[in-house]
């Protein structure tokens, strides 16, 4: 109880924690944390029966070891798993517990733990080992989802109705044991009689009536029984009648009026319970409505469809783009080819240009050569002229000395003319040839006529 | 589990329970004895926990399995007594109520436990003598009246803790050896009421109620 109060204090302020605590203890664990722990013991018997039903092999093994299932499961139930399994798992179990509004989840979780760790338990050889192993294994249940899943899905058959049935079945035996003990322990009870009576007075309005009437200590047991019947909170009239029957067997029989009063009290309580359950049903209904309202699955589906549509459009666009890209690529390839072609053309043109340049160069060289040879010719012409002059002077000197100067003078011009006419005639003949001779390589034979013409030109000047 | 190896070597396995009101220091007595640890901030025990210790008594190796019970759950602890050879009844010298309740615990032990269970009364927290409510003499007188061993201990200061447990175990051992001797003399028939608790030894259980403090 303290562990669980601690849990609440961690989650909320002090006052809230207190009232939550009161609420949970009253609504969920009535009769659990009393001196005799009746409901707790009943639950253990119920749990043991469920275990026997579900895991007969495991229970047989534990029986063999002398281990009672309650030794391990008792602490689980009493602490509501706080400090027994990891924190996160505790919270998850608590979620379900509070949501369902009864103790069923306790049973389911305990059964789930047994299912998870039962196989390991079967291997133990000693009571102490078995209990220690189960405690440590439960303490390492870190997979809270698995635990809650196993608990809720694996043990759906464990319902509140079934538990109530089993509780009714087992409660008498627990009450019997307690009665037995209290009878044997009369000495102890007597010494504490006043305190017990005060306790009963505080907790049970029904016993107040009796307390007034029965001052005899001998009635303590009967008194206690009635009180237990009420405390057990079974909302079960049979149970109450049972305990009353036990009373009737006891030494002092409570009168009818008293019974009527008790029954009235019980009826009031039942009515109150009915009212609260109706309230709870309404609450649950509103909660359900809210949940339905919050259920936006349709909206989500529509949105998903829209998104899918968008995705389709985008995909279409993507394919278009890809096509465009392919076309662009083709265009590019073509452009490249064109470029290559033009490049080739350019290269060809360049090579043409180069050959032409070469030709021009060759021609230039030829021209230069020709010019050079012309210059040489001129020189030779000059030389020849001077030689001619010298020869002429020598001839004229000879003729002056040999014959009359006249005869000599006549002879001389005639030769001069003859030479001249020869030169002119050659030039006329070669005039048409001149152009072709310049482009082609000139033969050495042509040099001398050329000389002649050059000489003539020189002379003409 | 790892203890199995030890089990093979041990001559006996003794089960003993430690009981008493909530908060008297049962868990710390056990942790002091088995692990030499003391925790000032220990949590209340829920259900049952265990301590193990191997002890050598008169050339026999004994494995003590000590059951640490929850003081808060008196209504449901009775099932733990079954098969226990020894019980340690603990009260707190600074709280009179725990001493008063010893009567109740003793009553339960006698009712649900073995007849020949060795019971030792332990007055814990002797270090807190300034707030003492129960005199040592009172405890001693009560123990003598009921035929129990008595010892004042302090789990915090490690006073008498080991001695208390050792005394209990030694007496259990003596009773068992005596019993086995008698059995051998009487014949090979054995009455194995505790066969489940003691795996190795096939000679168990004493028949006589021994008042240990009379020796």
């Amino acid at each position: 109880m303290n562990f669980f109060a601690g849990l609440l204090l961690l989650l909320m302020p002090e006052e809230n924690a207190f009232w939550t605590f009161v609420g949970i203890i009253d609504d969920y664990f009535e009769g659990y944390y009393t001196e005799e722990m009746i409901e707790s013991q009943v639950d253990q018997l119920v749990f043991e029966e469920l275990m026997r039903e579900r895991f007969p092999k495991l229970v047989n093994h534990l029986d063999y070891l002398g281990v009672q299932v309650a030794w391990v499961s008792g602490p689980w139930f009493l602490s509501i798993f706080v400090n027994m399994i990891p924190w996160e798992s505790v919270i998850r179990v608590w979620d379900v517990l509070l949501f369902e509004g009864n103790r069923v989840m306790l049973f389911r979780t305990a059964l789930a733990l047994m299912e998870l760790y039962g196989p390991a338990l079967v291997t133990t050889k000693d009571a102490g080992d078995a209990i220690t192993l189960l405690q440590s294994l439960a303490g390492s249940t870190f997979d809270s989802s698995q635990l809650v899943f196993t608990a809720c899905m694996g043990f759906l058959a464990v319902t509140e109705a079934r538990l109530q049935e089993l509780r009714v079945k087992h409660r008498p035996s627990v009450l019997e044991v307690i009665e037995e003990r209290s009878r044997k322990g009369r000495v102890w009870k007597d010494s504490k009689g006043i305190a017990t009576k005060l306790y009963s007075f505080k907790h049970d309005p029904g016993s107040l009536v009796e307390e007034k009437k029965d001052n005899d200590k001998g009635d303590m047991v009967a008194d206690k029984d009635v009180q237990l019947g009420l405390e057990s909170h079974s909302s079960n009239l049979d149970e109450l009648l049972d305990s009353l029957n036990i009373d009737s067997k006891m030494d002092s029989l409570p009168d009818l009026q008293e019974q009527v009063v008790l029954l009235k009290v019980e009826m009031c309580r039942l009515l109150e319970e009915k009212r609260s359950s109706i309230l709870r049903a309404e609450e649950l209904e509103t909660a359900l409505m809210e949940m339905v309202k919050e259920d936006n699955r349709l909206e989500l589906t529509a949105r998903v469809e829209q998104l899918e549509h968008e995705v389709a459009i985008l995909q279409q666009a993507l394919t278009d783009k890809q096509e465009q890209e392919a076309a662009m690529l083709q265009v590019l390839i073509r452009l490249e080819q064109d470029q290559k072609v033009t490049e080739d053309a350019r290269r060809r043109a360049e090579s043409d240009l180069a050959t032409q340049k070469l030709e021009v160069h060759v021609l230039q060289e030829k021209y230069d050569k020709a010019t050079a040879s012309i210059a040489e010719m001129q020189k030779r012409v000059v030389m020849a002229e001077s030689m001619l002059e010298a020869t002429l002077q020598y001839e004229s000197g000879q003729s002056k000395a040999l014959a009359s100067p006249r005869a000599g003078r006549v002879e001389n011009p005639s030769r001069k003319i003859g030479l001249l006419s020869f030169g002119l005639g050659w030039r006329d003949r070669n005039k048409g040839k001149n152009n072709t001779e310049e482009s082609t390589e000139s033969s050495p034979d042509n040099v001398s006529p050329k000389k002649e013409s050059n000489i003539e030109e020189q002379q003409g000047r | 589990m790892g203890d199995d190896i030890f089990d093979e070597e041990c001559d006996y396995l003794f089960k003993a329970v430690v009981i008493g009101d909530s908060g008297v220091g049962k868990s710390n007595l056990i942790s002091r004895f088995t692990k030499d640890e003391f925790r000032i901030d220990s949590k209340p025990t829920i259900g049952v926990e265990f301590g193990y210790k191997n002890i050598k008594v008169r050339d026999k190796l004994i494995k003590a399995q000590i059951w640490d019970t929850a003081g808060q759950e008196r209504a449901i602890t009775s099932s733990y007594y079954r098969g226990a050879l020894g019980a340690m009844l603990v009260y707190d010298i600074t709280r009179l109520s725990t001493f008063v309740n010893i009567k109740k615990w003793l009553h339960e032990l006698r009712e649900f436990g073995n007849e020949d269970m060795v019971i030792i009364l332990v007055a814990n927290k002797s270090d807190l003598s300034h707030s003492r409510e129960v005199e040592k003499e009172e405890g001693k007188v009560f123990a003598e009246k009921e035929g129990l061993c008595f010892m004042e201990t302090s789990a915090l200061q490690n006073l008498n803790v080991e001695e208390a447990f050792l005394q209990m175990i030694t007496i259990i051992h003596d009773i068992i050896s005596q019993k086995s001797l008698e059995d051998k003399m009487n014949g090979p028939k054995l009455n194995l009421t505790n066969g489940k608790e003691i795996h190795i030894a096939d000679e168990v259980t004493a028949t006589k109620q021994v008042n240990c403090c009379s020796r």
Side-chain angles (χ1 to χ4, degrees), chain B residues 138-157:
Chain B
E138 291 177 71
K140 214 170 204 170
V141 167
F142 178 79
E144 267 167 26
K145 194 180 86 190
E146 298 285 342
L148 316 170
C149 303
F150 176 75
M151 214 167 250
E152 234 178 39
T153 63
S154 165
L156 177 69
Q157 293 176 343

Side-chain angles (χ1 to χ4, degrees), chain A residues 26 36 59 117 141 192 197 212 341 373 393 398 436:
Chain A
D26 282 354
E36 302 291 352
V59 177
Y117 304 125
T141 316
K192 234 194 161 185
K197 275 178 197 167
K212 280 177 187 164
V341 169
S373 58
Q393 269 176 357
Q398 287 243 320
T436 50

Side-chain angles (χ1 to χ4, degrees), chain A residues 361-378:
Chain A
H361 190 67
V362 168
L363 283 178
Q364 184 73 34
E365 260 178 21
K366 273 183 195 168
Y367 174 72
D368 284 350
K369 241 184 252 168
T371 332
S373 58
I374 286 172
E376 210 177 322
M377 287 295 181
Q378 272 176 341

Side-chain angles (χ1 to χ4, degrees), chain A residues 58 61-62 65 113-126 129-131 133-134 136-138, chain B residues 1:
Chain A
L58 176 63
H61 181 72
L62 292 178
L65 295 178
L113 285 170
M114 288 293 185
E115 176 165 296
L116 291 176
Y117 304 125
L121 279 186
V122 178
T123 62
T124 52
K125 293 175 195 143
D126 171 66
D129 288 351
I131 294 171
L133 179 67
L134 185 52
S136 62
L137 282 176
Chain B
M1 294 174 83

